[in-house]
Amino acid sequence: MVEAIVLTLQLASLTTLILLIVGVPLGFWLARDTGIIASVVSALVALPLVLPPTVLGFYLLIGLGPNGPLAPMLAATGIRTLAFSFPGLVIGSVLFSLPFMVQPARNGFAGVGREAFEAAATLRAGPLDSFFSVALPLARGGVVTGAILSFAHTIGEFGVVLMIGGNIPGETRVLSIAIFDAVEQGDWGAAHQMSAGLLAFAFVVILTTTLIEKRAGGRAR
Amino acid sequence: MNGIDAHFRLKRRGFMLDAKFTAPSSGVTGLFGPSGSGKTTLLRMIAGLERPDKGWLTLDGKVWQDDGRFTRAFRRPVGYVFQDARLFAHLSVAGNLRFALRRAGAKEASTQGDEVVAQFGLGPLLERRIDGLSGGERQRVAIARALLSHPRLLLMDEPLASLDRDAKRDILPYLEALVRRADIPVLYVSHDLDEIERFADHLVLMDQGRVLAAGPMAELAADPELLLARDPDAAALLDAEIIGHDAGYQLTACRVGPHTLLLPGTLGMPGAARRLRVRASDVSLSLARAANTSILNILPCRIEALEPLGAGQVLVVLTLAGTKMRLLSRVTTRSRDALALATGVTVQAQIKGMALVEAAS
């Protein structure tokens, strides 16, 4: 069980880190670009919200497997397949949690508005400078919310993990899988412990994000 | 060429702008016109915040924009004061000022910071958060912040327009001091003639996306071709210097060119410069200097032009003898005919009253 908890936390941390690096700039771009390309990307990012996790997992299984389109590229680095591996799990989690990072971040950046950027520009702040010194601090609430939701969502995911990760202890056997496993084997005690832990965790997460949003909202202008 | 030389063309849905003007490299140039005349758009194009379809802009001979070149906003050394202040809400007052200082790249930055803080009375506000500031305080911080970015040109977009009466009164002295001391050119946008008359030395008059006229403030104010002079409240502006007081009669003597004017009250120390506003409706004309009259100020003038205003009224444009300064007088067509007023005739302008220029109080 400890092994599963550690693995789950590793997966969630790494996923959140990658999402911060990828999702925050993406949210920034989507908040400011109203073109057709941005709309298409926006829809793609939101897909995991409505897609059954098994569908995403299924395609990832094919895509990352030994016969997938990425296989030649992987082979060059000496890897046969990412399916049923921790890196494969990370890729799946990043894609699956992408909307949970991008949408709050985007809302945060949308709230910053053009005005602040114009003011920054007249004070000699270039685009990159404005992003870090004005946009990011002002959209902090959205970014933090996105990071917390991504972390929590990764911990709670099941379908994608099951499809692409399987159930390899220490490699892909995360908490949600371990609970399923425990129930299957009739170990209700273990299932109770882990489930109650996740329930409490989920509640704390939702409460925290609500409080952050309340604070950010009360501060606007 | 020194100063600002600008020509912009812009076409938007329902709006056309084709504005060309020059402004001197020092002093305050007012951009004046009704709402929707393109003043703010013009200012934004000068700052590089708006890209015109065609644009040409130089400051002191340095090209910021022409057919092939466009210097982006953050590379233009302008300070911009927005109507809505636009302070950064995530920083304190001091943080907002530091934001500007850090990016100004000025060596004397730290001492200059203290100076500006003192000049705008910001000492007690430094640690305050932005959302706790009043409108007037915000605008003071915004102006200080713009100055600390070490601009070569200061752009002010209706800095008083969104303030209430008290906040305006609170900020006016600071603005006045700034305008007097500024060693960089200032472009000041307003639709409030009182503000423009108070601050501007030079005027760019706009309407419907075009520049109607540009030139020294006093000249344009008295130009009969322009709307300013045709306004019922039209007034000429005279730059005067205080030369003394008469304590007994409580009068202040001011020198305007070779003439001396007497104004009631104590208006300042001798040597101080004051701008006087003489309304056209306060100036009557006579052919000979009246001997027994209660009017204190009677000045010899030459009639430059007569412009019918309709409703039996005529606007008389006068040049003050021995100067190039203009005065306006509003008389009836009956008086015009009775006195045979015509261009070139010398008359005595009797000034019933005048005021120091004050912005809307």
Side-chain angles (χ1 to χ4, degrees), chain B residues 223-227 229-232 303-317 328-334 336-337 341-343:
Chain B
D223 188 334
E225 300 285 307
L226 300 174
L227 293 164
R230 295 175 158 270
D231 192 271
I303 296 181
E304 292 297 327
L306 293 139
E307 291 284 326
L309 292 173
Q313 302 262 308
V314 181
L315 182 75
V316 185
V317 183
L328 294 174
S329 169
R330 181 192 284 264
V331 299
T332 59
T333 45
R334 186 175 182 276
R336 176 194 61 192
D337 296 341
L341 300 178
T343 304

Side-chain angles (χ1 to χ4, degrees), chain B residues 59-126:
Chain B
L59 177 73
D60 293 338
K62 199 164 153 37
V63 178
W64 284 5
Q65 190 170 345
D66 63 17
D67 286 337
R69 266 176 290 187
F70 180 83
T71 306
R72 295 177 67 185
F74 70 95
R75 295 195 202 281
R76 297 188 186 194
V78 300
Y80 201 116
V81 179
F82 297 89
Q83 186 178 335
D84 51 351
R86 300 198 187 178
L87 300 176
F88 299 127
H90 63 293
L91 299 173
S92 64
V93 169
N96 269 275
L97 299 180
R98 264 198 305 273
F99 189 100
L101 263 181
R102 279 217 193 100
R103 289 160 179 83
K107 286 188 202 97
E108 67 275 36
S110 59
T111 57
Q112 199 217 359
D114 298 342
E115 223 171 84
V116 172
V117 164
Q119 187 189 341
F120 285 89
L122 298 180
L125 302 180
L126 283 178

Side-chain angles (χ1 to χ4, degrees), chain A residues 33-200:
Chain A
D33 196 330
T34 51
I36 182 75
I37 298 172
S39 303
V40 171
V41 171
S42 184
L44 283 176
V45 167
L47 263 188
L49 289 176
V50 291
L51 216 54
T54 40
V55 173
L56 186 66
F58 175 64
Y59 283 122
L60 279 170
L61 192 60
I62 295 174
L64 299 177
N67 300 317
L70 294 178
M73 228 160 68
L74 291 172
T77 54
I79 302 167
R80 203 178 71 82
T81 175
L82 283 176
F84 308 112
S85 73
F86 184 72
L89 215 53
V90 172
I91 293 173
S93 300
V94 165
L95 288 177
F96 193 52
S97 293
L98 196 57
F100 291 85
M101 181 71 235
V102 171
Q103 291 196 346
R106 172 200 191 160
N107 292 343
F109 287 122
V112 174
R114 203 175 47 130
E115 292 80 5
F117 290 101
E118 289 187 353
T122 65
L123 297 168
R124 317 271 185 290
L128 203 63
D129 185 355
S130 316
F131 175 77
F132 283 108
S133 60
V134 177
L136 209 48
L138 284 173
R140 193 176 42 197
V143 172
V144 172
T145 301
I148 292 174
L149 286 179
S150 302
F151 188 85
H153 190 243
T154 304
I155 285 181
E157 84 184 55
F158 179 75
V160 174
V161 177
L162 193 69
M163 292 295 284
I164 193 182
N167 187 3
I168 306 167
E171 177 76 20
T172 65
R173 189 174 189 240
V174 295
L175 265 177
S176 56
I177 303 282
I179 293 171
F180 181 71
D181 217 28
V183 173
E184 285 239 296
Q185 290 171 12
D187 188 355
W188 287 58
H192 259 307
Q193 275 182 5
M194 291 188 279
S195 296
L198 279 183
L199 183 68

